[in-house]
Amino acid sequence: MKSQIKRTFSNFFFEYETPRQVLVRNKRVAVVCRIIQMGVLAYIIGWVFMYEKGYQIVDIAISSIFTKMKGVSFTNISEKERIWDAADYVFPEQGDSSFVVMTNYIATVGQKQDKCPELPDGKNKCTSDAHCDEGKYKRMGNGHMTGRCINDTSTCEIYSWCPVEDDRKIPDPPVLLTAENYTLFIKNSITFRQFNVVRSNLVESVNQSYINTCLYHPKTDPLCPIFRLGDIVERSGFSFSEIARVGGAIGVLIDWDCNLDLSIRHCKPKYEFYGLYGTGKNEDKEEKPSLGYNFRYAKYYVENGVEKRTLMKVFGVRIDIIVHGRAGKFDIIPTLTAIGSGVGIFGVATVVCDMLLLYLVSKRDFYKNMKFKHTEIGEEKPALPQSKTERDLPKVTYH
Amino acid sequence: MKSQIKRTFSNFFFEYETPRQVLVRNKRVAVVCRIIQMGVLAYIIGWVFMYEKGYQIVDIAISSIFTKMKGVSFTNISEKERIWDAADYVFPEQGDSSFVVMTNYIATVGQKQDKCPELPDGKNKCTSDAHCDEGKYKRMGNGHMTGRCINDTSTCEIYSWCPVEDDRKIPDPPVLLTAENYTLFIKNSITFRQFNVVRSNLVESVNQSYINTCLYHPKTDPLCPIFRLGDIVERSGFSFSEIARVGGAIGVLIDWDCNLDLSIRHCKPKYEFYGLYGTGKNEDKEEKPSLGYNFRYAKYYVENGVEKRTLMKVFGVRIDIIVHGRAGKFDIIPTLTAIGSGVGIFGVATVVCDMLLLYLVSKRDFYKNMKFKHTEIGEEKPALPQSKTERDLPKVTYH
Amino acid sequence: MKSQIKRTFSNFFFEYETPRQVLVRNKRVAVVCRIIQMGVLAYIIGWVFMYEKGYQIVDIAISSIFTKMKGVSFTNISEKERIWDAADYVFPEQGDSSFVVMTNYIATVGQKQDKCPELPDGKNKCTSDAHCDEGKYKRMGNGHMTGRCINDTSTCEIYSWCPVEDDRKIPDPPVLLTAENYTLFIKNSITFRQFNVVRSNLVESVNQSYINTCLYHPKTDPLCPIFRLGDIVERSGFSFSEIARVGGAIGVLIDWDCNLDLSIRHCKPKYEFYGLYGTGKNEDKEEKPSLGYNFRYAKYYVENGVEKRTLMKVFGVRIDIIVHGRAGKFDIIPTLTAIGSGVGIFGVATVVCDMLLLYLVSKRDFYKNMKFKHTEIGEEKPALPQSKTERDLPKVTYH
């Protein structure tokens, strides 16, 4: 028993099996086959390894963004001069990755809790009190109906912040058209956890003196982190005067595609700009719902003991900064997986070649004969014990 | 030398090797083997290719969201009527993907910097001045202790915004219970960078007139981007009256699972709602810490030269809109990788069949004999030079 | 014809092919070969399966975060005592995943729309009116130039919010240095969509009474969701007094690496802290641009009918909470893909062994002879029909 195990063990270790093969000397088949094999090899080396970098593991960045707008606008509305700076026109103020730059607004000053007629904008018509259910609220309305229909405006009276905001006419040209010249400074930090790499968009060539003077340009200053608002808008396919009037949303994509097998210095951001929600250049011109971008906010104050508010309907450029970070680095696992898959595909090549050989070539029966050996159950000559066969029969005639 | 290279080259190109095989005519083994092979084939075609779409590359969307709440609430607190609109109850106001809708609040009007006793809520008891270290601050306290213990309240005197907010009793029913009828409009734009596809949740069938009247319903209006707040809350497993009182957080998931091999029109969003932080339907009923959702903010003003503030403790529904976008498209690399792996698994099938044949079948020695040829070192008949062998010996008896 | 199909079918089902192999009894080659094969096996089992868990599918979490700061600061600036609580020092107030804790500020009280000279900070010098183009705006300036050069300050007169903010000197020590003792409470909910798993950072061992008293410490309290601001700052490599003065940005990473094949109770968060934008510990000490973190916001009010504002330049600690959630679970597809690739790599091992055998071993010609059979076009003895050959020729001499 022990010697049995020993022999099995020694057989396993000192013997190894390798497939027996036929060398087919057939020009047509061989050439086709070699071309297929070389195609597979070229695909594995060229595409999987070199183009797609299949030998790398990939990590997606986690990122953090800080933004700062600069610039002032000067307006002169009904003889009232006014200057607007970043604290006045950026929402929210603390430098988020998503923010709105106000370019136009409708201010409704001095609203207070009161009764007043609805806006006669066609959506809230009434001809008698019966149309105005007391205590009810209409989806398009601004407050709770008191039950009266006001003759002057042909609209229901409501309990609301009065007077009701009149947003039927959007100021044109936009109030803050000079917003075009504001500048946006973006600080972006990305972290590739898997590779323990931290990187900022203020790369080696971007120093303090460069930042003080530069302005982003895709050709001449592709790494300058300071952007002119007008440029952002135009690169994303909008016209500034249009977006400034009704608002719009723009995505600023910071694209990092880093090959960490090279020096970290080559890991640089690329900035792209595109319109969101279907008004940008990538979209068809067909009518789309909900263009524009606006929101309302209120400034509250107390006047003579009555709470009042100034309601602002703000139109503006919303900027969403989106980071798309991806880094690859050599790793043995994907390399071996790619090689393994490649060998598998080589197997497919062999199968294809064999089909050629066995089904399409004129001498196919000859080749079949060479390749296959048949065993039939019920043959009169059963197998001799292997060891005996091997040793007793002369090698030349039996193998 | 040159002719040597030439011959090697011509050998390589005009000859190809294919494994020699034994055709085993054994019903049991063959049937088992074919079943295994067909299982592998079915798995590769059915599961990897059709179900998991292994022939596609996958891209994850980058997305951008804009939200807008509509609706008004009417309250009548101690004879004071008041209307609340979106500018009053949404935080922050500019339409972020994460925001809070106020449903309840505790207002502390007219706080100013002063000395006053701590709230007698059981956490800040004292019986003598010795318990109140001057200048120190307690983790559960609201200000810096002055060193005095106030007899009336049995709490330390503190320097703080006074009077201290009393949040021991949360208004019940919630002040803004009608928030149930507010509507939320969501605009979502997604970008599949790799495929250069931009898509909005306002898909082809969602036009302006539909938006004006529709309301989301999972069965009848699954694409309407307008949601009733009460519906969102109930679909996520909360009771509205409960969440409105103490607040809560809800995730709205916009799920895009797009097959870009089909028309882009089939790429549509699916909306799902679930409770966050463990109060939703997916969680057990066991007691969990930190239910509810609230935050404080202050409105500052100056009265008779003294800076004051109104502190609001806001309870509300926090809505986090989360986008999960995934698109697949045919690509040659994953297709070949899947095929390669499949061929590999085919190899496993062959190994299993061989084991059956060589170890379990009664005639195993016969088959072993067919399959294997032995070479032994020390054989008396060493190999002749290959070329010679090939040419000189008669083919039939030696090959 | 029918019988033909039938026979092909029966052949296919009752016959199976298996490669013929040579058993090479050569110690050196066999041992090398077995070592290579066992290395491949060890790699597949040990590395791919056990270490990298190649048998699992992976899902990335979608997550939601709520934060709450607690703590008060006491300041005494020019005899004016003041207490600061969370409503005063957190921006934005509603508990976002990204927020700023004010630690220092420059307040410019009572700005109004007026004409005043630019700040004499060296960037806006003038010696005559000619340097001050009327109506123009300088990139480093604060308003529109009126065309006059003011002698006292040697700067242009501008139309702006006056007086202009003087931020040349940042308060040192920072005004709110006691911010070090504020605490941050983080609630984080993650969802693994693919596995239908929802999980909160308030795991089983974190109950209400624990939360009331605990404070995060990497060793003793690694799951406590309450963090001291000073600890966060120091763990991320900053000095608190430095960051408090000029501001800075810190990333708090919540890392979930869950193996869902085990009990869900083992799925726990890990907290990490690091400096963003290049001032943290992972960065070199070389000078980097744009250190610090600050933003401006304004509080508006009306005094004697004139709109005024208090402009705050806020320096603070910006905290970005980033969630990195990843869960793996056994799945048949990646398991089979890994096995398939592994078999492929086994094939590579065989190729390497064959090269050894056929090119490096001294008896290589003998082995070549064993392994390969040649077929030559133009042989005088063409292939007999397969069936005939098999049956008529004696097995021993021809097979």
Side-chain angles (χ1 to χ4, degrees):
Chain A
M1 184 65 205
K2 211 173 165 186
S3 76
Q4 176 75 23
I5 290 168
K6 207 173 155 186
R7 216 177 72 206
T8 307
F9 189 82
S10 93
N11 272 351
F12 175 76
F13 254 100
F14 298 147
E15 231 173 52
Y16 100 103
E17 65 278 358
T18 178
R20 292 175 70 181
Q21 300 194 302
V22 198
L23 285 173
V24 176
R25 197 154 190 96
N26 178 314
K27 270 196 195 178
R28 266 176 303 175
V29 173
V31 166
V32 169
C33 193
R34 292 300 180 202
I35 287 171
I36 293 177
Q37 284 177 345
M38 274 157 62
V40 170
L41 200 71
Y43 156 77
I44 293 171
I45 291 175
W47 190 255
V48 177
F49 276 83
M50 296 180 66
Y51 189 80
E52 296 273 338
K53 300 204 180 61
Y55 57 88
Q56 292 188 329
I57 39 167
V58 168
D59 193 22
I60 299 301
I62 48 185
S63 76
S64 178
I65 284 169
F66 167 61
T67 57
K68 195 168 207 167
M69 291 293 303
K70 280 223 169 140
V72 295
S73 271
F74 178 81
T75 59
N76 191 336
I77 302 166
S78 42
E79 298 299 305
K80 220 185 134 191
E81 295 181 324
R82 196 185 151 95
I83 204 95
W84 303 79
D85 65 10
D88 298 325
Y89 61 69
V90 176
F91 305 87
E93 68 277 305
Q94 79 268 5
D96 262 4
S97 66
S98 171
F99 60 94
V100 181
V101 177
M102 177 165 73
T103 53
N104 205 359
Y105 66 88
I106 296 169
T108 312
V109 183
Q111 285 188 326
K112 61 176 181 178
Q113 300 278 341
D114 206 351
K115 289 171 185 171
C116 53
E118 263 286 12
L119 194 68
D121 59 357
K123 291 176 190 159
N124 297 290
K125 275 183 192 161
C126 69
T127 49
S128 77
D129 291 359
H131 292 115
C132 304
D133 286 354
E134 191 182 339
K136 285 278 168 61
Y137 156 72
K138 279 186 185 166
R139 183 156 162 181
M140 290 296 162
N142 290 294
H144 272 230
M145 288 183 279
T146 59
R148 284 180 57 201
C149 185
I150 307 287
N151 284 334
D152 291 357
T153 58
S154 294
T155 56
C156 298
E157 190 189 56
I158 51 170
Y159 187 86
S160 177
W161 286 101
C162 290
V164 168
E165 178 195 77
D166 181 1
D167 60 355
R168 286 173 296 179
K169 205 166 156 290
I170 299 172
D172 193 3
V175 184
L176 298 169
L177 194 54
T178 50
E180 202 167 357
N181 292 318
Y182 298 167
T183 55
L184 165 64
F185 170 53
I186 300 177
K187 244 202 289 196
N188 171 219
S189 172
I190 58 167
T191 309
F192 295 108
R193 294 263 309 141
Q194 221 170 329
F195 308 132
N196 210 14
V197 167
V198 178
R199 189 92 178 132
S200 157
N201 69 329
L202 309 175
V203 296
E204 288 76 10
S205 59
V206 178
N207 54 30
Q208 189 61 59
S209 65
Y210 181 61
I211 288 179
N212 282 343
T213 57
C214 74
L215 197 62
Y216 173 82
H217 187 278
K219 292 265 169 54
T220 58
D221 292 274
L223 291 171
C224 177
I226 293 175
F227 304 84
R228 197 172 152 270
L229 189 61
D231 290 350
I232 292 178
V233 166
E234 257 137 55
R235 292 219 168 82
S236 65
F238 288 98
S239 122
F240 192 85
S241 62
E242 191 189 313
I243 207 176
R245 200 174 63 87
V246 296
I250 290 175
V252 175
L253 183 79
I254 307 182
D255 194 17
W256 297 82
D257 193 353
C258 294
N259 183 350
L260 297 183
D261 293 331
L262 307 179
S263 160
I264 186 77
R265 290 179 165 258
H266 294 111
C267 178
K268 287 174 183 173
K270 239 173 61 191
Y271 301 94
E272 285 172 40
F273 311 91
Y274 54 99
L276 297 172
Y277 314 130
T279 41
K281 59 185 166 184
N282 289 321
E283 297 287 319
D284 305 335
K285 285 286 170 199
E286 63 185 38
E287 193 237 5
K288 289 262 181 174
S290 288
L291 295 182
Y293 189 95
N294 64 73
F295 67 89
R296 284 180 186 86
Y297 82 97
K299 291 189 266 192
Y300 300 89
Y301 58 94
V302 177
E303 206 175 68
N304 303 326
V306 179
E307 190 187 7
K308 293 192 171 181
R309 71 175 193 184
T310 296
L311 181 68
M312 298 282 284
K313 179 167 185 174
V314 174
F315 301 86
V317 180
R318 165 151 162 181
I319 294 186
D320 273 16
I321 300 175
I322 298 163
V323 178
H324 192 257
R326 188 189 165 288
K329 197 174 188 177
F330 172 78
D331 189 78
I332 193 70
I333 302 256
T335 308
L336 288 177
T337 304
I339 291 176
S341 282
V343 172
I345 301 170
F346 250 99
V348 177
T350 301
V351 168
V352 172
C353 295
D354 281 1
M355 285 189 170
L356 273 183
L357 187 76
L358 301 177
Y359 296 105
L360 295 183
V361 168
S362 59
K363 291 194 171 191
R364 52 185 171 265
D365 287 332
F366 171 71
Y367 292 120
K368 260 183 203 158
N369 209 5
M370 288 284 145
K371 184 174 168 67
F372 295 107
K373 178 165 84 173
H374 277 254
T375 76
E376 305 253 1
I377 284 190
E379 277 172 4
E380 59 277 42
K381 234 184 160 97
L384 301 166
Q386 187 183 353
S387 53
K388 202 162 169 243
T389 318
E390 289 291 324
R391 289 190 191 135
D392 297 355
L393 291 168
K395 285 286 158 194
V396 175
T397 51
Y398 190 99
H399 53 96
Chain B
M1 183 66 203
K2 208 172 168 185
S3 76
Q4 176 76 21
I5 289 168
K6 207 173 157 186
R7 216 177 74 209
T8 307
F9 189 82
S10 93
N11 273 351
F12 175 76
F13 254 100
F14 298 147
E15 229 172 51
Y16 100 103
E17 65 278 354
T18 177
R20 294 175 69 181
Q21 300 195 300
V22 197
L23 284 173
V24 176
R25 199 155 190 95
N26 178 313
K27 272 195 194 177
R28 267 176 304 175
V29 173
V31 166
V32 169
C33 193
R34 291 301 180 201
I35 287 172
I36 293 176
Q37 285 177 344
M38 275 156 64
V40 170
L41 200 72
Y43 156 78
I44 293 169
I45 292 175
W47 189 256
V48 177
F49 275 84
M50 297 181 67
Y51 188 82
E52 296 274 339
K53 301 203 178 63
Y55 57 87
Q56 291 188 332
I57 39 167
V58 167
D59 194 20
I60 299 301
I62 47 185
S63 76
S64 179
I65 283 169
F66 167 60
T67 57
K68 197 169 207 169
M69 290 295 302
K70 279 220 169 142
V72 297
S73 270
F74 178 81
T75 58
N76 190 336
I77 301 167
S78 42
E79 298 299 305
K80 221 185 132 190
E81 295 180 327
R82 195 185 152 94
I83 204 96
W84 302 81
D85 65 10
D88 300 324
Y89 62 69
V90 177
F91 305 87
E93 68 275 302
Q94 78 269 7
D96 262 4
S97 66
S98 171
F99 61 94
V100 181
V101 178
M102 177 166 71
T103 54
N104 206 359
Y105 66 87
I106 295 168
T108 311
V109 183
Q111 284 189 325
K112 60 176 182 178
Q113 302 276 343
D114 206 353
K115 288 170 185 170
C116 52
E118 264 286 11
L119 194 68
D121 61 356
K123 290 177 192 159
N124 298 291
K125 275 183 193 160
C126 69
T127 49
S128 77
D129 291 358
H131 292 115
C132 305
D133 285 354
E134 192 182 339
K136 286 280 167 59
Y137 156 74
K138 281 188 184 164
R139 182 155 162 183
M140 290 295 163
N142 291 294
H144 271 229
M145 289 183 280
T146 59
R148 282 181 57 203
C149 182
I150 307 286
N151 285 334
D152 291 358
T153 57
S154 294
T155 57
C156 298
E157 192 190 54
I158 51 171
Y159 187 87
S160 177
W161 286 100
C162 290
V164 169
E165 179 194 76
D166 181 1
D167 61 353
R168 286 173 297 176
K169 207 169 154 289
I170 300 171
D172 192 5
V175 184
L176 298 169
L177 195 53
T178 50
E180 202 166 356
N181 291 318
Y182 298 166
T183 55
L184 165 64
F185 171 53
I186 300 177
K187 245 202 290 194
N188 172 220
S189 172
I190 58 167
T191 309
F192 294 109
R193 294 263 308 142
Q194 219 170 332
F195 308 132
N196 211 11
V197 166
V198 178
R199 188 93 178 131
S200 158
N201 69 329
L202 309 175
V203 295
E204 288 77 10
S205 59
V206 178
N207 55 29
Q208 189 61 59
S209 64
Y210 180 63
I211 287 179
N212 282 342
T213 58
C214 76
L215 197 62
Y216 173 82
H217 186 278
K219 293 266 167 55
T220 58
D221 292 272
L223 291 171
C224 176
I226 293 176
F227 304 84
R228 197 174 152 268
L229 188 61
D231 291 351
I232 291 177
V233 168
E234 258 138 52
R235 291 216 170 83
S236 65
F238 287 97
S239 124
F240 192 84
S241 60
E242 191 190 313
I243 209 176
R245 199 173 65 87
V246 295
I250 290 175
V252 174
L253 183 80
I254 308 183
D255 195 16
W256 297 83
D257 192 354
C258 295
N259 183 349
L260 297 182
D261 293 331
L262 307 178
S263 160
I264 187 78
R265 290 178 166 257
H266 294 111
C267 179
K268 286 173 183 173
K270 240 174 60 191
Y271 302 94
E272 284 171 42
F273 312 92
Y274 55 98
L276 297 172
Y277 314 130
T279 41
K281 60 186 164 183
N282 288 320
E283 296 287 318
D284 306 335
K285 285 286 171 200
E286 63 185 39
E287 195 240 1
K288 289 263 182 174
S290 288
L291 296 181
Y293 189 96
N294 63 74
F295 67 91
R296 284 181 185 84
Y297 83 97
K299 292 189 266 192
Y300 300 87
Y301 58 94
V302 176
E303 205 175 69
N304 303 325
V306 179
E307 189 186 9
K308 293 191 172 182
R309 72 175 192 184
T310 296
L311 181 68
M312 298 282 286
K313 179 167 183 173
V314 173
F315 301 86
V317 181
R318 165 149 162 184
I319 294 184
D320 273 16
I321 299 174
I322 300 163
V323 178
H324 191 256
R326 190 190 163 285
K329 198 173 188 178
F330 171 80
D331 189 77
I332 193 70
I333 302 257
T335 308
L336 288 177
T337 304
I339 291 175
S341 282
V343 171
I345 300 170
F346 251 98
V348 177
T350 301
V351 168
V352 172
C353 295
D354 280 3
M355 284 189 171
L356 272 183
L357 188 75
L358 301 177
Y359 296 105
L360 295 182
V361 170
S362 59
K363 289 193 172 190
R364 51 184 174 265
D365 286 334
F366 170 72
Y367 292 120
K368 263 184 200 157
N369 208 5
M370 290 284 145
K371 186 174 166 70
F372 294 108
K373 177 165 84 171
H374 278 253
T375 77
E376 308 253 359
I377 284 191
E379 278 172 2
E380 60 278 43
K381 237 189 157 94
L384 302 165
Q386 189 184 355
S387 54
K388 197 159 176 249
T389 316
E390 289 293 324
R391 289 188 191 136
D392 298 352
L393 291 171
K395 283 288 158 192
V396 175
T397 52
Y398 191 101
H399 54 95
Chain C
M1 184 64 203
K2 209 173 168 184
S3 76
Q4 177 77 22
I5 289 169
K6 207 173 155 187
R7 216 177 72 208
T8 307
F9 190 81
S10 93
N11 273 351
F12 175 75
F13 255 98
F14 299 145
E15 230 173 51
Y16 101 103
E17 65 278 354
T18 177
R20 292 175 72 179
Q21 301 195 299
V22 198
L23 284 173
V24 176
R25 200 155 187 92
N26 178 314
K27 270 194 197 180
R28 265 175 305 174
V29 174
V31 166
V32 168
C33 194
R34 291 302 180 199
I35 287 171
I36 293 176
Q37 285 177 345
M38 274 157 63
V40 170
L41 201 71
Y43 157 76
I44 293 170
I45 292 176
W47 190 258
V48 177
F49 276 83
M50 297 181 67
Y51 188 82
E52 296 273 340
K53 300 202 179 63
Y55 57 87
Q56 292 188 331
I57 40 167
V58 167
D59 194 20
I60 298 301
I62 47 184
S63 77
S64 179
I65 282 168
F66 168 60
T67 57
K68 196 170 207 167
M69 291 294 301
K70 280 221 168 140
V72 296
S73 273
F74 177 82
T75 59
N76 190 335
I77 302 167
S78 43
E79 298 298 303
K80 221 184 134 192
E81 296 181 324
R82 197 184 151 97
I83 204 95
W84 303 80
D85 66 9
D88 299 323
Y89 62 69
V90 177
F91 305 86
E93 68 275 304
Q94 78 269 6
D96 263 4
S97 66
S98 172
F99 61 95
V100 181
V101 178
M102 176 165 74
T103 54
N104 206 359
Y105 66 86
I106 295 167
T108 312
V109 184
Q111 284 188 325
K112 62 176 180 177
Q113 301 277 344
D114 206 354
K115 288 171 185 169
C116 53
E118 264 285 12
L119 193 68
D121 59 357
K123 291 176 191 159
N124 298 290
K125 277 184 192 160
C126 68
T127 49
S128 77
D129 291 358
H131 292 115
C132 305
D133 285 355
E134 191 183 340
K136 285 277 168 61
Y137 156 73
K138 280 189 185 164
R139 182 156 161 183
M140 291 294 163
N142 292 292
H144 272 231
M145 288 182 278
T146 59
R148 285 182 55 204
C149 183
I150 306 288
N151 285 334
D152 291 359
T153 58
S154 293
T155 56
C156 297
E157 190 190 54
I158 51 171
Y159 188 87
S160 177
W161 285 100
C162 290
V164 167
E165 179 193 76
D166 180 2
D167 59 354
R168 286 173 294 175
K169 205 169 155 292
I170 300 172
D172 193 5
V175 184
L176 298 169
L177 194 54
T178 51
E180 202 166 358
N181 292 318
Y182 297 167
T183 56
L184 165 64
F185 170 53
I186 301 178
K187 246 201 291 195
N188 171 222
S189 173
I190 57 167
T191 309
F192 295 109
R193 293 264 308 142
Q194 219 169 332
F195 308 132
N196 211 14
V197 167
V198 178
R199 188 92 179 133
S200 158
N201 69 330
L202 309 175
V203 294
E204 287 77 11
S205 60
V206 178
N207 55 30
Q208 189 61 59
S209 63
Y210 181 63
I211 288 180
N212 282 342
T213 58
C214 75
L215 197 62
Y216 174 83
H217 186 278
K219 291 266 167 58
T220 59
D221 293 270
L223 293 171
C224 177
I226 294 176
F227 304 83
R228 196 173 152 269
L229 188 61
D231 290 350
I232 291 177
V233 167
E234 258 138 55
R235 292 219 168 81
S236 66
F238 288 100
S239 121
F240 192 84
S241 61
E242 191 190 312
I243 208 175
R245 198 175 65 88
V246 296
I250 291 176
V252 175
L253 182 80
I254 308 183
D255 194 17
W256 297 83
D257 192 354
C258 295
N259 183 350
L260 297 182
D261 293 331
L262 306 179
S263 160
I264 186 80
R265 289 176 166 260
H266 295 111
C267 179
K268 287 173 183 173
K270 240 171 63 191
Y271 301 94
E272 285 171 41
F273 312 91
Y274 54 98
L276 298 172
Y277 314 130
T279 40
K281 58 185 165 183
N282 288 321
E283 296 287 320
D284 305 336
K285 285 286 169 199
E286 63 185 37
E287 196 240 2
K288 289 262 180 175
S290 287
L291 295 182
Y293 189 95
N294 63 72
F295 66 90
R296 285 181 185 82
Y297 82 98
K299 290 189 268 191
Y300 300 88
Y301 57 95
V302 177
E303 206 174 67
N304 303 326
V306 179
E307 189 187 7
K308 293 192 170 181
R309 72 174 191 183
T310 297
L311 180 68
M312 298 282 284
K313 179 166 184 173
V314 174
F315 301 87
V317 181
R318 166 150 163 184
I319 294 185
D320 273 17
I321 299 174
I322 300 164
V323 178
H324 191 256
R326 188 190 164 285
K329 199 174 187 176
F330 171 79
D331 190 78
I332 193 70
I333 302 256
T335 308
L336 289 177
T337 304
I339 290 176
S341 282
V343 172
I345 300 170
F346 250 99
V348 176
T350 302
V351 168
V352 172
C353 295
D354 281 3
M355 286 190 169
L356 272 184
L357 188 75
L358 301 177
Y359 296 106
L360 294 183
V361 169
S362 58
K363 292 194 169 188
R364 51 183 174 266
D365 287 333
F366 170 72
Y367 293 119
K368 261 183 202 156
N369 208 7
M370 290 282 143
K371 186 174 165 69
F372 294 108
K373 178 165 83 173
H374 278 254
T375 77
E376 306 253 4
I377 284 189
E379 279 172 5
E380 58 280 38
K381 239 194 158 90
L384 302 165
Q386 189 183 352
S387 53
K388 198 158 173 251
T389 317
E390 289 290 325
R391 287 185 196 141
D392 297 353
L393 290 170
K395 283 287 157 192
V396 176
T397 51
Y398 189 100
H399 53 99

